């Protein structure tokens, strides 16, 4: 059985945020909603300082706390390991948002849809068609662009990344690109102590 | 032409740093508060065999709690789904416990007020069982909200076994004080004196538990320490000190010590405690910070940790 996952190459990420924009466009995300973020982290002491860009995304946890707390069964894991939200079942209790140790959930406000991306109260044709996929009041998160995965494509952020800092594939296949990277470059999961078994790894 | 000039894009959310818990707000705080206060009043009145107190406690829990919970939900018309998964979610378990408490509690109150059980020819065992089931429901309701919060590993301030203890203690304190207020003149003096002692003891326990929560958060992680600092010295220190500690915990003890025999003093002590308790509920929500985007994320993926 497939176990879809992603690897972030910290050496390759240049913080251009092309992935963020691609995600916003692919998923028609309203103002203030991001399924992926590229954080900037400054470390070291002068004169030996560095800035590292850390891409973040829903880790599609194998032991997902957001799924465990969901009282309505709206959050579920597909056969290929992608953690999904069924908007018809979601009651908007926000328990998942509180439970996610990575703060990767967003609750959709009515406001976001009324104001529009440009805050004018007028929706562009792009927004009008895109917002149909959302129900105000419910919880949303990254699902690795499941609509693209189903069509045999990579998630939009992966296809767009100009430096190949995002590598996507089946972690159950030892010969897949992410599996090899994890093996060869000692892939690390974010906050392993939380016991969530993320399917997202980082290499540097 | 669309104007993008004033559009806030991302604020500082792309920087590695703390992000505040913003999903649970005042409406959730009122839902938690009313359930704990109402259930505390029911439980203490149950042991005092005081029907009016039990009825008021049930009414508080059965009305304000669901109303404010529904007000918080994004899609309230589907909230019935929340009861279906008691095996997995504390929200479901809580909803189930409230149903048990209110269902059996109402039956118990009706029986105590009218003698319905005996009139229907039910055995004393069955009549008592109804009361015990209501008490069992009440005990779960008094703790479960703290349990739901303590399950949130991502928020160190909440992720403490002391959270359900604080829920229970605060609920019992409010119950003892409110039973005193409602039952003044109706309950025996010996019973009233017992309630005064219980209230004072619980206020002292509440204080210890509140500091226990802060101390354990401080020790557990940098984010926890950040939350505790916000309450003790930072942004929320003045409402925390003035409302939670002085008005809500210290003032009622002093008022009870000075004039436990005086009804106005008891009313004042109760009001002060309730204001402090509500402030505690709100501040506990406000001071929680998510730590995913903090230093240990960097440390966990092989970057230098800032811890
Ligand atoms: S990262 Fe958060 S939202 Fe994503 S699966 Fe894990 S717990 Fe759920
Ligand atoms: S907000 Fe929706 S997806 Fe999240 S826990 Fe509640 S019902 Fe489940």
């Amino acid at each position: 059985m497939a176990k879809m996952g992603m690897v972030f190459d910290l050496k390759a990420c240049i913080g251009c945020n092309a992935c963020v924009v691609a995600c916003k466009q692919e998923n028609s995300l309203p103002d203030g909603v991001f399924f992926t973020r590229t954080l900037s982290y400054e470390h070291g002491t002068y004169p030996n300082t560095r800035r590292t860009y850390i891409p973040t995304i829903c880790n599609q946890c194998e032991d997902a706390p957001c799924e465990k707390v969901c009282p309505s069964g709206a959050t579920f894991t597909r056969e290929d390991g992608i953690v999904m939200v069924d908007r018809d079942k979601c009651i908007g209790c926000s328990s998942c948002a509180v439970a996610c140790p990575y703060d990767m959930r967003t609750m959709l406000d009515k406001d976001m849809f009324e104001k529009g991306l440009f805050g004018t109260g007028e929706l562009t044709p792009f927004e009008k068609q895109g917002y149909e996929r959302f129900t105000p009041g419910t919880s949303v998160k990254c699902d690795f662009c499941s609509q693209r995965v189903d069509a045999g494509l990579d998630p939009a952020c992966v296809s767009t990344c100009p430096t190949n800092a995002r590598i996507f594939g089946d972690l159950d296949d030892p010969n897949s690109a992410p599996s090899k990277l994890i093996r060869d470059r000692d892939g690390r999961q974010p906050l392993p102590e939380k016991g969530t078994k993320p399917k997202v790894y980082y290499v540097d | 032409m669309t104007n993008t000039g004033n559009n806030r894009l991302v604020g500082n959310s792309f920087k590695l740093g703390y992000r505040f818990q913003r999903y649970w707000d005042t409406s959730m705080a009122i839902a938690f508060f009313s359930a704990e206060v109402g259930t505390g009043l029911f439980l203490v009145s149950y042991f005092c065999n005081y029907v009016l107190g039990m009825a008021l406690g049930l009414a508080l829990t059965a009305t304000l709690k669901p109303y404010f919970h529904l007000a918080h939900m994004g899609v309230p018309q589907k909230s019935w789904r929340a009861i279906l998964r008691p095996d997995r979610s504390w929200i479901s378990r809580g909803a189930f416990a409230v149903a048990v408490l209110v269902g059996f509690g109402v039956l118990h109150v009706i029986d105590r007020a009218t003698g319905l059980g005996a009139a229907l020819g039910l055995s004393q065992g069955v009549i008592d069982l109804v009361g015990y089931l209501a008490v069992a429901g009440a005990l779960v309701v008094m703790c479960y909200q703290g349990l739901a919060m303590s399950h949130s590993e991502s928020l160190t301030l909440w992720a403490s076994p002391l959270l359900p203890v604080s829920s229970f203690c605060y609920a019992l304190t409010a119950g003892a004080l409110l039973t005193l207020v409602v039952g003044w003149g109706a309950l025996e003096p010996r019973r009233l004196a017992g309630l005064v002692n219980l209230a004072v003891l619980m206020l002292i326990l509440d204080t210890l538990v509140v500091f226990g929560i802060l101390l354990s958060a401080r020790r557990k992680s940098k984010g926890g320490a950040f939350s505790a600092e916000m309450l003790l010295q930072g942004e929320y220190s003045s409402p925390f000190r003035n409302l939670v500690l002085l008005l809500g915990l210290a003032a009622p003890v002093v008022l009870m010590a000075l004039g436990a025999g005086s009804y106005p003093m008891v009313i004042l002590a109760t009001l002060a405690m309730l204001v402090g308790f509500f402030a505690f509920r709100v501040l506990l929500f406000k001071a929680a910070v998510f730590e995913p985007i903090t230093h240990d994320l960097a440390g966990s993926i092989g970057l230098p940790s800032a811890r």
Side-chain angles (χ1 to χ4, degrees):
Chain A
M1 193 169 303
K3 188 165 104 178
M4 305 318 284
M6 200 179 282
V7 173
F8 292 129
D9 185 343
L10 293 170
K11 278 215 170 85
C13 179
I14 54 169
C16 69
N17 280 311
C19 49
V20 176
V21 176
C23 171
K24 294 270 304 179
Q25 188 190 28
E26 169 68 28
N27 295 296
S28 310
L29 300 182
D31 184 30
V33 182
F34 295 92
F35 286 174
T36 185
R37 298 187 185 99
T38 307
L39 306 175
S40 91
Y41 178 46
E42 282 158 22
H43 49 95
T45 42
Y46 180 82
N48 299 315
T49 54
R50 278 193 66 184
R51 175 180 292 168
T52 305
Y53 293 102
I54 308 177
T56 60
I57 201 170
C58 164
N59 298 296
Q60 316 295 343
C61 308
E62 254 184 282
D63 218 342
C66 62
E67 184 178 353
K68 277 193 202 144
V69 299
C70 179
S72 69
T75 300
F76 66 99
T77 305
R78 296 196 332 180
E79 285 216 331
D80 59 3
I82 300 179
V83 180
M84 306 284 292
V85 184
D86 180 341
R87 69 167 171 162
D88 292 328
K89 284 191 181 164
C90 177
I91 60 172
C93 67
S94 60
S95 305
C96 52
V98 171
C100 170
Y102 308 92
D103 197 12
M104 281 298 153
R105 290 281 187 145
T106 310
M107 303 306 298
L108 292 173
D109 272 352
K110 240 193 178 158
D111 258 20
M112 293 170 173
F113 301 98
E114 284 166 2
K115 277 202 234 139
L117 271 176
F118 300 107
T120 57
E122 224 178 279
L123 300 188
T124 61
F126 170 76
E127 289 176 274
K128 270 186 203 149
Q129 61 81 28
Y131 290 172
E132 276 171 20
R133 63 159 71 182
F134 297 120
T135 305
T138 57
S139 171
V140 288
K141 65 181 268 303
C142 158
D143 60 3
F144 277 166
C145 291
S146 57
Q147 70 282 9
R148 290 175 60 96
V149 174
D150 291 343
L153 301 168
D154 278 343
C157 57
V158 174
S159 303
T160 308
C161 178
T163 62
N164 288 333
R166 294 173 175 240
I167 301 98
F168 178 73
D170 180 4
L171 301 184
D172 265 354
D173 173 1
N175 296 316
S176 72
S179 296
K180 279 187 191 155
L181 266 178
I182 293 166
R183 212 171 39 240
D184 297 347
R185 289 172 60 189
D186 185 24
R188 298 191 178 96
Q189 292 161 303
L191 310 182
E193 72 273 17
K194 299 287 179 198
T196 57
K197 300 191 196 144
K199 292 200 279 288
V200 167
Y201 289 75
Y202 291 80
V203 294
D204 62 358
Chain B
M1 187 69 154
T2 310
N3 171 23
T4 59
N6 297 326
N7 196 35
R8 180 193 58 81
L9 275 177
V10 293
N12 66 359
S13 66
F14 281 18
K15 276 207 167 160
L16 198 76
Y18 297 103
R19 288 162 65 84
F20 289 90
Q21 185 291 123
R22 59 196 175 283
Y23 299 106
W24 285 7
D25 53 12
T26 314
S27 155
M28 278 294 263
I30 301 176
F32 278 31
F33 173 77
S34 49
E36 283 158 359
V37 168
T39 311
L41 174 57
F42 171 82
L43 191 75
V44 176
S45 297
Y46 173 91
F47 285 108
C48 296
N49 198 14
Y50 182 49
V51 173
L52 180 62
M54 285 189 266
L56 279 176
L58 288 176
L60 260 179
T61 309
T63 53
L64 295 184
K65 157 93 173 159
Y67 176 81
F68 283 100
H69 248 310
L70 290 178
H72 163 79
M73 276 178 194
V75 194
Q77 62 274 23
K78 289 188 190 154
S79 57
W80 54 269
R81 288 186 184 276
I83 307 177
L84 300 179
R85 306 206 142 206
D87 55 323
R88 297 173 51 148
S89 155
W90 274 111
I91 296 221
S92 297
R93 285 172 210 145
F96 189 70
V98 170
V100 168
L101 161 68
V102 174
F104 289 106
V106 167
L107 289 177
H108 179 73
V109 167
I110 293 173
D111 174 63
R112 283 293 146 104
T114 63
L116 183 69
L120 290 174
L122 297 177
S123 70
Q124 194 53 43
V126 173
I127 293 171
D128 288 345
L129 181 67
V130 169
Y132 297 152
L133 286 170
V135 168
L139 292 174
V140 177
V141 175
M142 285 162 80
C143 300
Y144 96 87
Q145 304 178 118
L147 282 164
M149 289 172 79
S150 68
H151 253 58
S152 303
E153 279 267 350
S154 37
L155 307 165
T156 306
L157 182 65
W158 298 3
S160 155
L162 285 176
L163 257 286
V165 178
S166 78
S167 284
F168 182 80
C169 289
Y170 257 122
L172 200 58
T173 316
L177 285 165
L178 278 170
T179 308
L180 268 172
V181 171
V182 181
W184 196 268
L187 294 172
E188 293 166 27
R190 192 180 48 88
R191 186 76 85 182
L192 292 176
L195 286 176
V196 169
N197 290 339
L198 174 66
V200 172
L201 177 70
M202 291 315 300
L203 284 161
I204 294 166
L205 266 180
D206 293 337
T207 312
L208 294 176
V209 173
V210 167
F211 279 105
I213 290 170
L214 295 187
L215 280 179
S216 77
R218 215 177 190 174
R219 276 208 208 109
K220 235 169 149 183
S221 77
K222 222 177 160 179
F226 186 83
S227 293
E229 285 313 295
M230 273 202 300
L231 291 170
L232 293 171
Q233 285 158 8
E235 201 178 334
Y236 302 122
S237 59
S238 122
F240 182 71
R241 184 185 53 241
N242 297 335
L243 296 180
V244 178
L245 299 181
L246 295 178
L247 186 71
L249 295 169
V253 174
V254 174
L255 287 168
M256 303 290 267
L258 289 180
S262 137
Y263 191 43
M265 285 292 218
V266 169
I267 292 178
L268 273 182
T270 306
L271 286 176
M273 184 269 159
L274 291 177
V275 171
F277 180 19
F278 183 64
F280 172 71
R281 275 268 153 266
V282 172
L283 291 177
L284 218 58
F285 284 174
K286 283 196 182 294
V289 293
F290 281 104
E291 300 170 60
I293 313 198
T294 60
H295 321 287
D296 59 346
L297 170 66
S300 72
I301 57 176
L303 293 170
S305 169
R307 289 205 159 176

